[in-house]
Amino acid sequence: MPITPALSLRDYGPSRGSHAHDHFQVLIGLRGRLDIEVEGRGAGIGVGQAQVVAPGDRHDFEARGQGSLCLVLDTAHAPWARCAERAAADAPQLHALARYLAHCIGQPQQSALALRQGPALLLEAWRPAPSSAEARRRRIDWQALEAWARARWHEPLAVADLAEVACLSASQFAQRCREEQGVSAMHWLRTLRLAHARELRLGGLSVAETARRTGYRSPSALTAALRR
């Protein structure tokens, strides 16, 4: 199951740690300095600096002296892949937002809305200001596109169909999907279809009816997809 984006505060000490995980991990320094090595590439996260660790990347870390306090976001949101290409960020707006979210974690009941929006706000704060060409690009409403596709599983949907709804050419849509979702357009569509099928099965719907509603050619095809 996809990981739900989660924010937390973590104290790192002198004990050396090492692991990898199957989701993005975003670390933003709030106090001290965290020494981190990602896939053999060394870096440090000081106050106001940040690092994105990509899924599967083994990273070693330790904080000497007085330790290090970081705001940590665990997320599977694909657009973080582009942020992971940069080793670290030193952006005042990112640090200010991280401090605010750290404060919210201390009083979650009063700050529930801020914590829900926090992951998306961090992504916006990390991204560089768009160029004039990027600013002119037509925005894709991925949620609306997802809703459109979910209502049409009985049709043989193709990339061209999605592109038409997004008012883009098929090649433009394919490129934007890779940039913004981190996967090919057909992979995005297959993942969406499978996620809907899994929801229906967890809700108690039979395999045959689930296959019919989500456009699989047979119950056995759906079962094979779920197993994969």
Side-chain angles (χ1 to χ4, degrees):
M1 296 293 289
I3 182 174
T4 301
L7 286 166
S8 61
L9 284 174
R10 298 187 195 174
D11 276 301
Y12 295 92
S15 297
R16 190 173 179 83
S18 179
H19 59 222
H21 29 65
D22 58 1
H23 56 268
F24 293 101
Q25 189 169 78
V26 185
L27 303 101
I28 304 169
L30 297 173
R31 187 188 68 232
R33 178 181 173 84
L34 179 66
D35 293 324
I36 185 168
E37 185 176 281
V38 182
E39 291 292 318
R41 301 183 303 274
I45 302 175
V47 176
Q49 296 181 317
Q51 177 83 32
V52 177
V53 180
D57 281 359
R58 177 155 295 279
H59 46 290
D60 305 306
F61 49 90
E62 67 177 319
R64 300 168 186 166
Q66 299 300 311
S68 171
L69 177 67
C70 292
L71 178 73
V72 178
L73 169 64
D74 291 299
T75 178
H77 195 38
W80 279 105
R82 298 188 69 186
C83 300
E85 294 171 359
R86 292 186 291 155
D90 192 355
Q93 71 273 16
L94 187 68
H95 185 212
L97 176 59
R99 290 201 316 270
Y100 171 66
L101 292 174
H103 170 74
C104 292
I105 289 173
Q107 45 180 12
Q109 291 183 336
Q110 294 86 348
S111 308
L113 178 60
L115 292 175
R116 283 198 301 271
Q117 300 297 329
L121 293 173
L122 286 171
L123 182 61
E124 287 303 314
W126 183 291
R127 287 172 169 168
S131 65
S132 57
E134 289 176 326
R136 289 194 299 269
R137 293 202 310 178
R138 183 181 297 276
R139 177 179 173 273
I140 298 176
D141 188 335
W142 291 101
Q143 288 187 329
L145 190 60
E146 175 180 336
W148 180 87
R150 284 170 69 105
R152 290 167 175 77
W153 291 140
H154 58 285
E155 302 175 11
L157 297 179
V159 174
D161 300 311
L162 299 172
E164 184 177 358
V165 174
C167 299
L168 296 169
S169 69
S171 60
Q172 287 174 327
F173 179 80
Q175 180 179 350
R176 292 283 296 280
C177 192
R178 285 197 175 278
E179 290 176 356
E180 298 177 23
Q181 298 298 316
V183 294
S184 70
M186 286 309 298
H187 187 283
W188 180 79
L189 190 62
R190 285 195 301 269
T191 300
L192 196 63
R193 185 191 300 269
L194 188 60
H196 191 193
R198 188 178 290 113
E199 289 174 12
L200 295 177
R201 288 291 291 134
L202 289 174
L205 207 64
S206 69
V207 175
E209 181 60 17
T210 298
R212 187 188 70 78
R213 291 194 188 185
T214 52
Y216 284 88
R217 64 179 182 275
S218 67
S220 59
L222 170 59
T223 301
L226 289 170
R227 285 175 178 168
R228 287 196 298 271

